[in-house]
Amino acid sequence: MIYPIVVYGHPVLRKVAEDVDKDYPGLSQLIDDLFETMYHAEGLGLAAPQIGKSVRIFVIDGSPAAEDDPSMADFKKAFINVHITERTGDLLPMTEGCLSIPNLREEVNREAHIRIEYYDLNWEYHQETYDGYKARVILHEYDHLDGIMFTDRVGPLRKRLLKGKLNAISKGMFEADYKTILPGQKVKV
Ligand SMILES: [Zn+2]
């Protein structure tokens, strides 16, 4: 099922999401739906809060970025109960966008290396390290689980300049090729 994507300003995007149990109802369906919704909206990643579910799950398929970074071609995964256990390395700048903030792109600084733990769809536990583009996408999606938007991480001057644009977006003044839920609208949980 393709879900509408929750837009900037909606309270569900500001909640700290919770871990799920192994027998969380509809877990594998939820992951299928996240992938389907992400593909429909042509995103690289999608976190559960972006479809209104405040749980620590996100999916990534890096293949659209394979031209910029060939290692992204087969980077397709679902991450369940994700926790970052280490962030190291210099802060590197990169331009990011987000399906919850249509048509806005900004440069964001993030750590170069991370160590994470998570469960996969077969409920196997993993500890892995990532850097480069993969770490970037994981850090962006992970922020959604902590109620953080990428625009929170731009410098203070940019932040001030973005305020009006973000306000307009949260009022629905944007065009997107996918369905959205604006702040004030109810999400189906
Ligand atoms: Zn995002």
Side-chain angles (χ1 to χ4, degrees), residues 122-165:
N122 303 315
W123 210 258
E124 285 191 33
Y125 175 78
H126 299 266
Q127 282 193 52
E128 291 167 356
T129 55
Y130 287 98
D131 52 25
Y133 210 138
K134 290 177 185 172
R136 168 69 51 165
V137 181
I138 290 170
L139 282 166
H140 177 113
E141 297 312 326
Y142 187 81
D143 268 355
H144 281 301
L145 310 185
D146 283 341
I148 299 166
M149 306 295 288
F150 82 93
T151 46
D152 300 345
R153 296 197 180 275
V154 304
L157 180 63
R158 287 301 305 162
K159 216 177 267 174
R160 225 172 307 148
L161 292 169
L162 283 179
K163 222 175 167 188
K165 278 189 192 174

mmCIF file of all heavy atoms in Angstrom, residues 122-165:
data_model
loop_
_atom_site.group_PDB
_atom_site.id
_atom_site.type_symbol
_atom_site.label_atom_id
_atom_site.label_comp_id
_atom_site.label_asym_id
_atom_site.label_seq_id
_atom_site.Cartn_x
_atom_site.Cartn_y
_atom_site.Cartn_z
ATOM 1 N N ASN A 122 14.383 -10.594 9.104
ATOM 2 C CA ASN A 122 14.369 -11.954 9.681
ATOM 3 C C ASN A 122 14.666 -11.941 11.181
ATOM 4 O O ASN A 122 14.942 -12.992 11.769
ATOM 5 C CB ASN A 122 15.389 -12.828 8.963
ATOM 6 C CG ASN A 122 15.117 -12.881 7.479
ATOM 7 O OD1 ASN A 122 13.975 -13.041 7.061
ATOM 8 N ND2 ASN A 122 16.165 -12.716 6.673
ATOM 9 N N TRP A 123 14.639 -10.752 11.748
ATOM 10 C CA TRP A 123 14.934 -10.514 13.159
ATOM 11 C C TRP A 123 16.340 -11.011 13.525
ATOM 12 O O TRP A 123 16.574 -11.573 14.579
ATOM 13 C CB TRP A 123 13.871 -11.119 14.079
ATOM 14 C CG TRP A 123 13.764 -10.293 15.330
ATOM 15 C CD1 TRP A 123 14.303 -10.593 16.548
ATOM 16 C CD2 TRP A 123 13.142 -9.002 15.470
ATOM 17 N NE1 TRP A 123 14.054 -9.575 17.439
ATOM 18 C CE2 TRP A 123 13.338 -8.587 16.807
ATOM 19 C CE3 TRP A 123 12.460 -8.149 14.612
ATOM 20 C CZ2 TRP A 123 12.862 -7.366 17.293
ATOM 21 C CZ3 TRP A 123 11.981 -6.946 15.103
ATOM 22 C CH2 TRP A 123 12.175 -6.571 16.430
ATOM 23 N N GLU A 124 17.267 -10.800 12.637
ATOM 24 C CA GLU A 124 18.671 -11.051 12.974
ATOM 25 C C GLU A 124 19.314 -9.739 13.353
ATOM 26 O O GLU A 124 19.088 -8.706 12.717
ATOM 27 C CB GLU A 124 19.380 -11.690 11.776
ATOM 28 C CG GLU A 124 18.969 -13.128 11.649
ATOM 29 C CD GLU A 124 19.821 -13.896 10.669
ATOM 30 O OE1 GLU A 124 21.021 -13.581 10.553
ATOM 31 O OE2 GLU A 124 19.261 -14.793 10.036
ATOM 32 N N TYR A 125 20.120 -9.807 14.407
ATOM 33 C CA TYR A 125 20.770 -8.625 14.953
ATOM 34 C C TYR A 125 22.049 -8.321 14.175
ATOM 35 O O TYR A 125 22.814 -9.239 13.858
ATOM 36 C CB TYR A 125 21.091 -8.885 16.422
ATOM 37 C CG TYR A 125 21.873 -7.799 17.110
ATOM 38 C CD1 TYR A 125 21.247 -6.627 17.535
ATOM 39 C CD2 TYR A 125 23.236 -7.949 17.348
ATOM 40 C CE1 TYR A 125 21.962 -5.634 18.176
ATOM 41 C CE2 TYR A 125 23.960 -6.949 18.000
ATOM 42 C CZ TYR A 125 23.314 -5.799 18.407
ATOM 43 O OH TYR A 125 24.032 -4.821 19.032
ATOM 44 N N HIS A 126 22.284 -7.055 13.862
ATOM 45 C CA HIS A 126 23.496 -6.661 13.137
ATOM 46 C C HIS A 126 24.176 -5.496 13.833
ATOM 47 O O HIS A 126 23.511 -4.616 14.371
ATOM 48 C CB HIS A 126 23.157 -6.189 11.711
ATOM 49 C CG HIS A 126 22.510 -7.233 10.872
ATOM 50 N ND1 HIS A 126 23.220 -8.046 10.033
ATOM 51 C CD2 HIS A 126 21.208 -7.602 10.744
ATOM 52 C CE1 HIS A 126 22.381 -8.870 9.408
ATOM 53 N NE2 HIS A 126 21.163 -8.624 9.841
ATOM 54 N N GLN A 127 25.498 -5.526 13.775
ATOM 55 C CA GLN A 127 26.277 -4.331 14.110
ATOM 56 C C GLN A 127 27.140 -4.059 12.902
ATOM 57 O O GLN A 127 27.871 -4.939 12.451
ATOM 58 C CB GLN A 127 27.194 -4.597 15.293
ATOM 59 C CG GLN A 127 26.489 -4.580 16.624
ATOM 60 C CD GLN A 127 27.485 -4.525 17.757
ATOM 61 O OE1 GLN A 127 28.363 -3.661 17.775
ATOM 62 N NE2 GLN A 127 27.390 -5.463 18.673
ATOM 63 N N GLU A 128 27.057 -2.854 12.372
ATOM 64 C CA GLU A 128 27.794 -2.549 11.144
ATOM 65 C C GLU A 128 28.357 -1.143 11.208
ATOM 66 O O GLU A 128 27.842 -0.286 11.924
ATOM 67 C CB GLU A 128 26.855 -2.669 9.929
ATOM 68 C CG GLU A 128 26.428 -4.103 9.652
ATOM 69 C CD GLU A 128 25.261 -4.221 8.671
ATOM 70 O OE1 GLU A 128 24.706 -3.195 8.239
ATOM 71 O OE2 GLU A 128 24.906 -5.368 8.359
ATOM 72 N N THR A 129 29.422 -0.918 10.431
ATOM 73 C CA THR A 129 29.952 0.435 10.299
ATOM 74 C C THR A 129 29.720 0.911 8.874
ATOM 75 O O THR A 129 29.721 0.120 7.924
ATOM 76 C CB THR A 129 31.461 0.490 10.613
ATOM 77 O OG1 THR A 129 32.126 -0.447 9.762
ATOM 78 C CG2 THR A 129 31.745 0.153 12.044
ATOM 79 N N TYR A 130 29.496 2.202 8.740
ATOM 80 C CA TYR A 130 29.258 2.798 7.424
ATOM 81 C C TYR A 130 30.009 4.106 7.319
ATOM 82 O O TYR A 130 30.227 4.787 8.322
ATOM 83 C CB TYR A 130 27.767 3.080 7.219
ATOM 84 C CG TYR A 130 26.943 1.839 6.998
ATOM 85 C CD1 TYR A 130 26.238 1.255 8.045
ATOM 86 C CD2 TYR A 130 26.874 1.244 5.740
ATOM 87 C CE1 TYR A 130 25.475 0.113 7.843
ATOM 88 C CE2 TYR A 130 26.123 0.097 5.528
ATOM 89 C CZ TYR A 130 25.426 -0.463 6.582
ATOM 90 O OH TYR A 130 24.682 -1.594 6.385
ATOM 91 N N ASP A 131 30.379 4.438 6.085
ATOM 92 C CA ASP A 131 30.878 5.794 5.842
ATOM 93 C C ASP A 131 30.387 6.262 4.478
ATOM 94 O O ASP A 131 29.611 5.577 3.820
ATOM 95 C CB ASP A 131 32.411 5.863 5.970
ATOM 96 C CG ASP A 131 33.099 4.813 5.123
ATOM 97 O OD1 ASP A 131 32.504 4.372 4.138
ATOM 98 O OD2 ASP A 131 34.235 4.448 5.463
ATOM 99 N N GLY A 132 30.844 7.455 4.093
ATOM 100 C CA GLY A 132 30.488 7.994 2.779
ATOM 101 C C GLY A 132 28.986 8.187 2.600
ATOM 102 O O GLY A 132 28.269 8.537 3.544
ATOM 103 N N TYR A 133 28.539 7.933 1.394
ATOM 104 C CA TYR A 133 27.150 8.181 1.011
ATOM 105 C C TYR A 133 26.176 7.360 1.867
ATOM 106 O O TYR A 133 25.116 7.830 2.279
ATOM 107 C CB TYR A 133 26.981 7.817 -0.472
ATOM 108 C CG TYR A 133 25.930 8.606 -1.220
ATOM 109 C CD1 TYR A 133 26.176 9.078 -2.516
ATOM 110 C CD2 TYR A 133 24.683 8.869 -0.655
ATOM 111 C CE1 TYR A 133 25.205 9.788 -3.219
ATOM 112 C CE2 TYR A 133 23.720 9.570 -1.354
ATOM 113 C CZ TYR A 133 23.982 10.028 -2.631
ATOM 114 O OH TYR A 133 23.033 10.722 -3.328
ATOM 115 N N LYS A 134 26.565 6.094 2.145
ATOM 116 C CA LYS A 134 25.666 5.235 2.935
ATOM 117 C C LYS A 134 25.446 5.804 4.328
ATOM 118 O O LYS A 134 24.320 5.850 4.830
ATOM 119 C CB LYS A 134 26.250 3.826 3.039
ATOM 120 C CG LYS A 134 26.215 3.080 1.721
ATOM 121 C CD LYS A 134 26.861 1.712 1.843
ATOM 122 C CE LYS A 134 26.905 1.047 0.481
ATOM 123 N NZ LYS A 134 27.678 -0.196 0.482
ATOM 124 N N ALA A 135 26.543 6.253 4.961
ATOM 125 C CA ALA A 135 26.417 6.849 6.298
ATOM 126 C C ALA A 135 25.521 8.079 6.238
ATOM 127 O O ALA A 135 24.686 8.309 7.118
ATOM 128 C CB ALA A 135 27.792 7.230 6.840
ATOM 129 N N ARG A 136 25.668 8.844 5.173
ATOM 130 C CA ARG A 136 24.861 10.053 4.979
ATOM 131 C C ARG A 136 23.367 9.734 4.968
ATOM 132 O O ARG A 136 22.574 10.344 5.680
ATOM 133 C CB ARG A 136 25.286 10.701 3.646
ATOM 134 C CG ARG A 136 24.404 11.792 3.132
ATOM 135 C CD ARG A 136 24.453 13.043 3.955
ATOM 136 N NE ARG A 136 25.810 13.495 4.198
ATOM 137 C CZ ARG A 136 26.125 14.713 4.649
ATOM 138 N NH1 ARG A 136 25.171 15.596 4.882
ATOM 139 N NH2 ARG A 136 27.365 15.037 4.891
ATOM 140 N N VAL A 137 22.993 8.744 4.152
ATOM 141 C CA VAL A 137 21.566 8.418 4.035
ATOM 142 C C VAL A 137 21.042 7.847 5.359
ATOM 143 O O VAL A 137 19.951 8.200 5.818
ATOM 144 C CB VAL A 137 21.309 7.433 2.864
ATOM 145 C CG1 VAL A 137 19.820 7.127 2.740
ATOM 146 C CG2 VAL A 137 21.825 8.010 1.545
ATOM 147 N N ILE A 138 21.838 6.994 5.988
ATOM 148 C CA ILE A 138 21.417 6.419 7.279
ATOM 149 C C ILE A 138 21.228 7.535 8.318
ATOM 150 O O ILE A 138 20.221 7.565 9.033
ATOM 151 C CB ILE A 138 22.429 5.371 7.785
ATOM 152 C CG1 ILE A 138 22.380 4.121 6.893
ATOM 153 C CG2 ILE A 138 22.162 4.998 9.244
ATOM 154 C CD1 ILE A 138 23.497 3.120 7.153
ATOM 155 N N LEU A 139 22.185 8.461 8.378
ATOM 156 C CA LEU A 139 22.082 9.549 9.364
ATOM 157 C C LEU A 139 20.833 10.398 9.127
ATOM 158 O O LEU A 139 20.161 10.815 10.072
ATOM 159 C CB LEU A 139 23.343 10.418 9.330
ATOM 160 C CG LEU A 139 24.562 9.828 10.055
ATOM 161 C CD1 LEU A 139 25.837 10.580 9.666
ATOM 162 C CD2 LEU A 139 24.373 9.866 11.564
ATOM 163 N N HIS A 140 20.525 10.652 7.862
ATOM 164 C CA HIS A 140 19.323 11.433 7.544
ATOM 165 C C HIS A 140 18.065 10.684 8.015
ATOM 166 O O HIS A 140 17.215 11.263 8.708
ATOM 167 C CB HIS A 140 19.244 11.719 6.040
ATOM 168 C CG HIS A 140 17.997 12.460 5.630
ATOM 169 N ND1 HIS A 140 18.016 13.751 5.155
ATOM 170 C CD2 HIS A 140 16.679 12.085 5.646
ATOM 171 C CE1 HIS A 140 16.770 14.134 4.900
ATOM 172 N NE2 HIS A 140 15.937 13.140 5.185
ATOM 173 N N GLU A 141 17.962 9.408 7.651
ATOM 174 C CA GLU A 141 16.768 8.637 8.035
ATOM 175 C C GLU A 141 16.699 8.462 9.550
ATOM 176 O O GLU A 141 15.625 8.529 10.149
ATOM 177 C CB GLU A 141 16.751 7.269 7.342
ATOM 178 C CG GLU A 141 16.677 7.323 5.821
ATOM 179 C CD GLU A 141 15.601 8.263 5.288
ATOM 180 O OE1 GLU A 141 14.542 8.386 5.916
ATOM 181 O OE2 GLU A 141 15.835 8.885 4.239
ATOM 182 N N TYR A 142 17.854 8.234 10.146
ATOM 183 C CA TYR A 142 17.915 8.037 11.600
ATOM 184 C C TYR A 142 17.388 9.273 12.345
ATOM 185 O O TYR A 142 16.692 9.146 13.351
ATOM 186 C CB TYR A 142 19.352 7.729 12.013
ATOM 187 C CG TYR A 142 19.505 7.353 13.460
ATOM 188 C CD1 TYR A 142 19.229 6.058 13.902
ATOM 189 C CD2 TYR A 142 19.900 8.298 14.402
ATOM 190 C CE1 TYR A 142 19.364 5.715 15.234
ATOM 191 C CE2 TYR A 142 20.034 7.962 15.741
ATOM 192 C CZ TYR A 142 19.765 6.668 16.149
ATOM 193 O OH TYR A 142 19.885 6.332 17.470
ATOM 194 N N ASP A 143 17.743 10.439 11.841
ATOM 195 C CA ASP A 143 17.242 11.673 12.455
ATOM 196 C C ASP A 143 15.719 11.674 12.551
ATOM 197 O O ASP A 143 15.159 12.155 13.540
ATOM 198 C CB ASP A 143 17.687 12.894 11.634
ATOM 199 C CG ASP A 143 19.006 13.491 12.129
ATOM 200 O OD1 ASP A 143 19.529 13.022 13.160
ATOM 201 O OD2 ASP A 143 19.506 14.436 11.478
ATOM 202 N N HIS A 144 15.049 11.130 11.532
ATOM 203 C CA HIS A 144 13.578 11.093 11.568
ATOM 204 C C HIS A 144 13.079 10.304 12.777
ATOM 205 O O HIS A 144 12.006 10.586 13.303
ATOM 206 C CB HIS A 144 13.023 10.444 10.292
ATOM 207 C CG HIS A 144 13.016 11.374 9.105
ATOM 208 N ND1 HIS A 144 12.339 12.566 9.100
ATOM 209 C CD2 HIS A 144 13.603 11.272 7.877
ATOM 210 C CE1 HIS A 144 12.501 13.165 7.926
ATOM 211 N NE2 HIS A 144 13.270 12.409 7.168
ATOM 212 N N LEU A 145 13.843 9.309 13.214
ATOM 213 C CA LEU A 145 13.417 8.504 14.361
ATOM 214 C C LEU A 145 13.589 9.259 15.675
ATOM 215 O O LEU A 145 13.013 8.893 16.691
ATOM 216 C CB LEU A 145 14.205 7.182 14.415
ATOM 217 C CG LEU A 145 14.258 6.368 13.120
ATOM 218 C CD1 LEU A 145 14.965 5.043 13.373
ATOM 219 C CD2 LEU A 145 12.855 6.129 12.562
ATOM 220 N N ASP A 146 14.412 10.303 15.638
ATOM 221 C CA ASP A 146 14.612 11.126 16.828
ATOM 222 C C ASP A 146 13.879 12.463 16.734
ATOM 223 O O ASP A 146 14.145 13.384 17.514
ATOM 224 C CB ASP A 146 16.114 11.367 17.051
ATOM 225 C CG ASP A 146 16.803 10.145 17.644
ATOM 226 O OD1 ASP A 146 16.099 9.275 18.197
ATOM 227 O OD2 ASP A 146 18.039 10.056 17.565
ATOM 228 N N GLY A 147 13.008 12.587 15.746
ATOM 229 C CA GLY A 147 12.225 13.821 15.615
ATOM 230 C C GLY A 147 13.009 14.999 15.063
ATOM 231 O O GLY A 147 12.633 16.159 15.274
ATOM 232 N N ILE A 148 14.091 14.703 14.343
ATOM 233 C CA ILE A 148 14.949 15.768 13.803
ATOM 234 C C ILE A 148 14.787 15.838 12.284
ATOM 235 O O ILE A 148 14.763 14.807 11.608
ATOM 236 C CB ILE A 148 16.431 15.488 14.165
ATOM 237 C CG1 ILE A 148 16.604 15.468 15.687
ATOM 238 C CG2 ILE A 148 17.353 16.529 13.529
ATOM 239 C CD1 ILE A 148 17.936 14.877 16.135
ATOM 240 N N MET A 149 14.652 17.064 11.764
ATOM 241 C CA MET A 149 14.561 17.270 10.312
ATOM 242 C C MET A 149 15.905 17.830 9.821
ATOM 243 O O MET A 149 16.588 18.522 10.566
ATOM 244 C CB MET A 149 13.445 18.262 9.992
ATOM 245 C CG MET A 149 12.080 17.899 10.575
ATOM 246 S SD MET A 149 11.390 16.381 9.897
ATOM 247 C CE MET A 149 10.932 16.909 8.242
ATOM 248 N N PHE A 150 16.238 17.567 8.552
ATOM 249 C CA PHE A 150 17.575 17.989 8.103
ATOM 250 C C PHE A 150 17.749 19.504 8.158
ATOM 251 O O PHE A 150 18.858 20.003 8.317
ATOM 252 C CB PHE A 150 17.914 17.408 6.715
ATOM 253 C CG PHE A 150 17.343 18.154 5.539
ATOM 254 C CD1 PHE A 150 18.070 19.140 4.902
ATOM 255 C CD2 PHE A 150 16.087 17.845 5.046
ATOM 256 C CE1 PHE A 150 17.560 19.827 3.808
ATOM 257 C CE2 PHE A 150 15.564 18.526 3.944
ATOM 258 C CZ PHE A 150 16.296 19.520 3.328
ATOM 259 N N THR A 151 16.630 20.224 8.052
ATOM 260 C CA THR A 151 16.724 21.688 8.106
ATOM 261 C C THR A 151 17.095 22.183 9.515
ATOM 262 O O THR A 151 17.501 23.326 9.668
ATOM 263 C CB THR A 151 15.384 22.319 7.676
ATOM 264 O OG1 THR A 151 14.324 21.633 8.351
ATOM 265 C CG2 THR A 151 15.184 22.182 6.179
ATOM 266 N N ASP A 152 16.967 21.309 10.532
ATOM 267 C CA ASP A 152 17.426 21.675 11.884
ATOM 268 C C ASP A 152 18.941 21.766 11.921
ATOM 269 O O ASP A 152 19.504 22.363 12.838
ATOM 270 C CB ASP A 152 17.015 20.599 12.919
ATOM 271 C CG ASP A 152 15.514 20.412 12.997
ATOM 272 O OD1 ASP A 152 14.765 21.278 12.494
ATOM 273 O OD2 ASP A 152 15.082 19.379 13.561
ATOM 274 N N ARG A 153 19.593 21.138 10.957
ATOM 275 C CA ARG A 153 21.049 21.004 11.010
ATOM 276 C C ARG A 153 21.788 22.001 10.113
ATOM 277 O O ARG A 153 22.988 21.895 9.949
ATOM 278 C CB ARG A 153 21.457 19.575 10.643
ATOM 279 C CG ARG A 153 20.945 18.529 11.641
ATOM 280 C CD ARG A 153 21.690 17.232 11.482
ATOM 281 N NE ARG A 153 21.255 16.194 12.386
ATOM 282 C CZ ARG A 153 21.705 16.050 13.645
ATOM 283 N NH1 ARG A 153 22.590 16.902 14.142
ATOM 284 N NH2 ARG A 153 21.271 15.051 14.391
ATOM 285 N N VAL A 154 21.074 22.926 9.498
ATOM 286 C CA VAL A 154 21.758 23.961 8.714
ATOM 287 C C VAL A 154 22.216 25.077 9.658
ATOM 288 O O VAL A 154 21.772 25.148 10.808
ATOM 289 C CB VAL A 154 20.863 24.536 7.586
ATOM 290 C CG1 VAL A 154 20.366 23.430 6.662
ATOM 291 C CG2 VAL A 154 19.704 25.325 8.149
ATOM 292 N N GLY A 155 23.094 25.923 9.181
ATOM 293 C CA GLY A 155 23.623 27.000 10.021
ATOM 294 C C GLY A 155 22.528 27.990 10.415
ATOM 295 O O GLY A 155 21.460 28.019 9.812
ATOM 296 N N PRO A 156 22.798 28.816 11.455
ATOM 297 C CA PRO A 156 21.778 29.733 11.986
ATOM 298 C C PRO A 156 21.277 30.754 10.955
ATOM 299 O O PRO A 156 20.090 31.082 10.938
ATOM 300 C CB PRO A 156 22.489 30.443 13.150
ATOM 301 C CG PRO A 156 23.924 30.054 13.078
ATOM 302 C CD PRO A 156 24.030 28.829 12.226
ATOM 303 N N LEU A 157 22.177 31.208 10.072
ATOM 304 C CA LEU A 157 21.754 32.186 9.075
ATOM 305 C C LEU A 157 20.805 31.542 8.066
ATOM 306 O O LEU A 157 19.728 32.059 7.775
ATOM 307 C CB LEU A 157 22.973 32.777 8.350
ATOM 308 C CG LEU A 157 22.649 33.815 7.275
ATOM 309 C CD1 LEU A 157 21.966 35.034 7.889
ATOM 310 C CD2 LEU A 157 23.897 34.223 6.512
ATOM 311 N N ARG A 158 21.189 30.358 7.554
ATOM 312 C CA ARG A 158 20.336 29.634 6.603
ATOM 313 C C ARG A 158 18.990 29.328 7.257
ATOM 314 O O ARG A 158 17.946 29.413 6.641
ATOM 315 C CB ARG A 158 20.974 28.308 6.150
ATOM 316 C CG ARG A 158 22.139 28.402 5.191
ATOM 317 C CD ARG A 158 21.827 29.102 3.904
ATOM 318 N NE ARG A 158 20.698 28.553 3.148
ATOM 319 C CZ ARG A 158 20.049 29.208 2.192
ATOM 320 N NH1 ARG A 158 20.400 30.426 1.873
ATOM 321 N NH2 ARG A 158 19.052 28.635 1.548
ATOM 322 N N LYS A 159 19.059 28.951 8.520
ATOM 323 C CA LYS A 159 17.835 28.582 9.241
ATOM 324 C C LYS A 159 16.843 29.750 9.230
ATOM 325 O O LYS A 159 15.661 29.568 9.000
ATOM 326 C CB LYS A 159 18.189 28.189 10.670
ATOM 327 C CG LYS A 159 17.331 27.061 11.191
ATOM 328 C CD LYS A 159 17.730 26.631 12.584
ATOM 329 C CE LYS A 159 18.717 25.482 12.564
ATOM 330 N NZ LYS A 159 19.222 25.153 13.901
ATOM 331 N N ARG A 160 17.378 30.946 9.467
ATOM 332 C CA ARG A 160 16.506 32.114 9.484
ATOM 333 C C ARG A 160 15.902 32.347 8.095
ATOM 334 O O ARG A 160 14.741 32.667 7.950
ATOM 335 C CB ARG A 160 17.297 33.346 9.950
ATOM 336 C CG ARG A 160 16.522 34.171 10.962
ATOM 337 C CD ARG A 160 17.395 35.281 11.548
ATOM 338 N NE ARG A 160 18.651 34.768 12.088
ATOM 339 C CZ ARG A 160 19.806 35.463 12.086
ATOM 340 N NH1 ARG A 160 19.860 36.667 11.568
ATOM 341 N NH2 ARG A 160 20.895 34.935 12.607
ATOM 342 N N LEU A 161 16.751 32.161 7.072
ATOM 343 C CA LEU A 161 16.275 32.367 5.706
ATOM 344 C C LEU A 161 15.241 31.318 5.292
ATOM 345 O O LEU A 161 14.383 31.574 4.462
ATOM 346 C CB LEU A 161 17.457 32.331 4.726
ATOM 347 C CG LEU A 161 18.435 33.500 4.854
ATOM 348 C CD1 LEU A 161 19.702 33.243 4.056
ATOM 349 C CD2 LEU A 161 17.770 34.799 4.392
ATOM 350 N N LEU A 162 15.353 30.129 5.886
ATOM 351 C CA LEU A 162 14.453 29.024 5.506
ATOM 352 C C LEU A 162 13.090 29.107 6.166
ATOM 353 O O LEU A 162 12.146 28.454 5.730
ATOM 354 C CB LEU A 162 15.082 27.685 5.905
ATOM 355 C CG LEU A 162 16.204 27.159 5.012
ATOM 356 C CD1 LEU A 162 16.725 25.847 5.577
ATOM 357 C CD2 LEU A 162 15.712 26.961 3.588
ATOM 358 N N LYS A 163 12.997 29.900 7.228
ATOM 359 C CA LYS A 163 11.789 29.910 8.038
ATOM 360 C C LYS A 163 10.517 30.121 7.211
ATOM 361 O O LYS A 163 9.545 29.372 7.348
ATOM 362 C CB LYS A 163 11.900 30.987 9.115
ATOM 363 C CG LYS A 163 11.378 30.515 10.436
ATOM 364 C CD LYS A 163 11.588 31.505 11.550
ATOM 365 C CE LYS A 163 10.724 31.024 12.710
ATOM 366 N NZ LYS A 163 10.683 31.985 13.796
ATOM 367 N N GLY A 164 10.550 31.111 6.345
ATOM 368 C CA GLY A 164 9.386 31.420 5.514
ATOM 369 C C GLY A 164 9.044 30.282 4.574
ATOM 370 O O GLY A 164 7.865 29.924 4.406
ATOM 371 N N LYS A 165 10.086 29.717 3.961
ATOM 372 C CA LYS A 165 9.858 28.605 3.022
ATOM 373 C C LYS A 165 9.238 27.408 3.741
ATOM 374 O O LYS A 165 8.320 26.766 3.235
ATOM 375 C CB LYS A 165 11.193 28.147 2.415
ATOM 376 C CG LYS A 165 11.678 28.984 1.264
ATOM 377 C CD LYS A 165 12.871 28.295 0.613
ATOM 378 C CE LYS A 165 13.574 29.240 -0.359
ATOM 379 N NZ LYS A 165 14.813 28.658 -0.886
#
